[in-house]
Amino acid sequence: MIIKKKKYNVVVVGATGAVGRTMVSILAERKFPVEKLSLLASSRSAGQKLSFDGREVTVAELGEGSFDGIDIALFSAGASVSRQYAPKAVQAGCVVVDNSSAFRMEKDIPLVVPEVNPHAVRKAPGIIANPNCSTIQMVVALKPIHDRYRIKRVIVSTYQSVSGTGQKGIAELAQQSQDFLSKKTIKNEVYPHQIAFNCLPHIDTFLDNGYTKEEMKMVNETQKIFEDDTLAVSPTTVRVPVFYSHSESLNVETENPINIGELKKLLAQSPGICVVDSPENDEYPLAIHAAGRDEVMVGRIRLDLTHPKAVNFWVVADNLRKGAALNAVQIAELVIS
Ligand code: A2P
């Protein structure tokens, strides 16, 4: 067990990044019991000041001794940094919540979404993996459906914002949008094609099976979180010119027949979900409404007219919050609970 304390020494690795900054503000918002907060990044950012809970904290360079005296380390600096430093943090006695893909599919590493599989959390020093952003919001919406009707198969298409690529994705969309509207030459450095005013059916690298790594993360992570290798997921992941929040279109086939009224009630009562579904008033989940919010928003809930046991719906969540930083802080809350 992590030693029970009134307050904990916490470190954020990758604190200057899009997710890292959100972790820092969520720790303050949720009044996580922080004794001392250390902020770490690369040498490029050492000395920079970030604000936490009304005070300034100076960013330090990540290094060998960074984890001495630390209880909880939240990592979001990419898989190679996690591979190199997360084991060192564990050796120093930390519980690590890792937002990268480095350890997610390792057998002995829990992969946790608190609304779905809180029992999997590790309470002793060790690594807990935070799932991929597009997986997290999907499984929060699937959980009550799986419990009530047993899911057989999910067909999902994603519409993912550029903040999922970090600060550099946000900067590229902003720059390209300006250049496009002022009829300047468009340069792409982060994405393989222009992202402004375009959609790219390509997130992460392509694998031999024709799917991208992002798509296979949705398949494998969902099965691991639900502890069910038979739950079939058929994904297409798409990057769209949106700054914040990922949207997903889902078709879910179940073993048991679905009562649509009951399903809407079930979703509305489930933790972490906000149902927004009044199409007659043009109300449904939107990326611009989900940005800055904690809930996974679900709407456009309707039976599949082509299948007796299937339903279609639309799921939107802030990828930096529930898709990354919030989920990581919720895991840390479970660790100390
Ligand atoms: P830095 O700002 O110093 O480059 P994003 O995903 O938004 O691009 O953010 C990535 C985060 O990971 C940033 O805080 C970045 O720090 C940090 N980072 C990247 N590489 C390293 C590294 N080798 N050591 C420590 N932090 C790193």
Side-chain angles (χ1 to χ4, degrees):
M1 292 283 280
I2 189 170
I3 297 161
K4 195 105 179 114
K5 295 180 175 176
K6 274 211 171 108
K7 291 185 169 190
Y8 298 85
N9 291 333
V10 178
V11 64
V12 175
V13 180
T16 51
V19 172
R21 284 169 191 269
T22 313
M23 284 171 165
V24 174
S25 53
I26 289 179
L27 284 168
E29 274 170 38
R30 293 176 72 91
K31 304 201 180 331
F32 193 87
V34 175
E35 177 70 40
K36 177 171 168 265
L37 181 70
S38 313
L39 303 181
L40 303 175
S42 76
S43 55
R44 295 179 288 272
S45 311
Q48 199 177 316
K49 289 185 178 10
L50 295 179
S51 79
F52 168 67
D53 208 12
R55 40 197 156 104
E56 280 199 329
V57 182
T58 306
V59 176
E61 182 181 355
L62 172 64
E64 293 296 318
S66 295
F67 303 98
D68 297 341
I70 302 291
D71 303 300
I72 297 169
L74 306 179
F75 273 68
S76 193
S80 56
V81 171
S82 291
R83 268 188 218 103
Q84 189 180 349
Y85 285 97
K88 294 186 204 296
V90 172
Q91 243 173 12
C94 289
V95 170
V96 170
V97 183
D98 181 34
N99 189 49
S100 82
S101 61
F103 306 104
R104 286 180 190 147
M105 293 314 297
E106 283 192 15
K107 198 169 151 281
D108 298 327
I109 305 255
L111 183 66
V112 178
V113 177
E115 291 84 350
V116 182
N117 62 339
H119 58 272
V121 100
R122 180 201 293 279
K123 297 244 173 192
I127 300 170
I128 305 166
N130 206 41
N132 182 252
C133 44
S134 40
T135 308
I136 292 177
Q137 67 182 70
M138 178 173 77
V139 299
V140 168
L142 293 181
K143 164 77 173 161
I145 305 175
H146 195 48
D147 287 349
R148 173 70 183 83
Y149 304 107
R150 298 309 297 173
I151 296 173
K152 285 168 72 175
R153 180 173 186 239
V154 177
I155 302 171
V156 53
S157 299
T158 70
Y159 305 67
Q160 296 182 226
S161 69
V162 294
S163 54
T165 320
Q167 300 284 17
K168 55 193 183 299
I170 298 170
E172 182 141 308
L173 174 59
Q175 187 63 51
Q176 287 185 357
S177 302
Q178 277 182 353
D179 290 346
F180 181 89
L181 293 172
S182 44
K183 298 192 169 36
K184 289 192 188 146
T185 313
I186 292 195
K187 285 190 238 125
N188 52 289
E189 282 160 10
V190 176
Y191 300 109
H193 304 279
Q194 175 185 325
I195 182 64
F197 307 97
N198 202 6
C199 297
L200 309 180
H202 175 183
I203 300 185
D204 211 328
T205 48
F206 281 100
L207 300 166
D208 288 344
N209 66 3
Y211 285 77
T212 62
K213 273 192 186 167
E214 182 82 357
E215 287 161 349
M216 293 314 295
K217 283 176 197 170
M218 293 189 81
V219 174
N220 298 325
E221 293 179 16
T222 301
Q223 292 179 344
K224 179 166 174 175
I225 293 163
F226 281 110
E227 297 163 13
D228 184 353
D229 289 350
T230 65
L231 203 162
V233 179
S234 182
T236 304
T237 58
V238 182
R239 186 75 66 194
V240 297
V242 167
F243 284 109
Y244 301 103
S245 301
H246 293 347
S247 304
E248 297 178 351
S249 164
L250 275 85
N251 176 271
V252 177
E253 183 188 334
T254 54
E255 259 169 42
N256 301 310
I258 294 168
N259 174 307
I260 201 75
E262 181 192 63
L263 172 63
K264 286 183 186 178
K265 266 196 216 138
L266 196 64
L267 287 166
Q269 289 161 359
S270 298
I273 295 178
C274 171
V275 170
V276 183
D277 200 17
S278 301
E280 64 282 11
N281 300 315
D282 302 336
E283 284 173 9
Y284 27 72
L286 292 177
I288 55 170
H289 294 160
R293 287 186 59 166
D294 287 347
E295 306 95 325
V296 171
M297 301 172 88
V298 182
R300 299 292 325 278
I301 305 162
R302 61 213 192 274
L303 288 173
D304 182 341
L305 300 178
T306 68
H307 193 289
K309 293 182 195 164
V311 64
N312 287 308
F313 52 94
W314 180 246
V315 178
V316 185
D318 185 326
N319 54 297
L320 296 180
R321 293 179 72 89
K322 185 57 193 166
L326 171 63
N327 200 71
V329 174
Q330 285 177 304
I331 291 173
E333 288 170 351
L334 280 178
V335 170
I336 63 165
S337 67

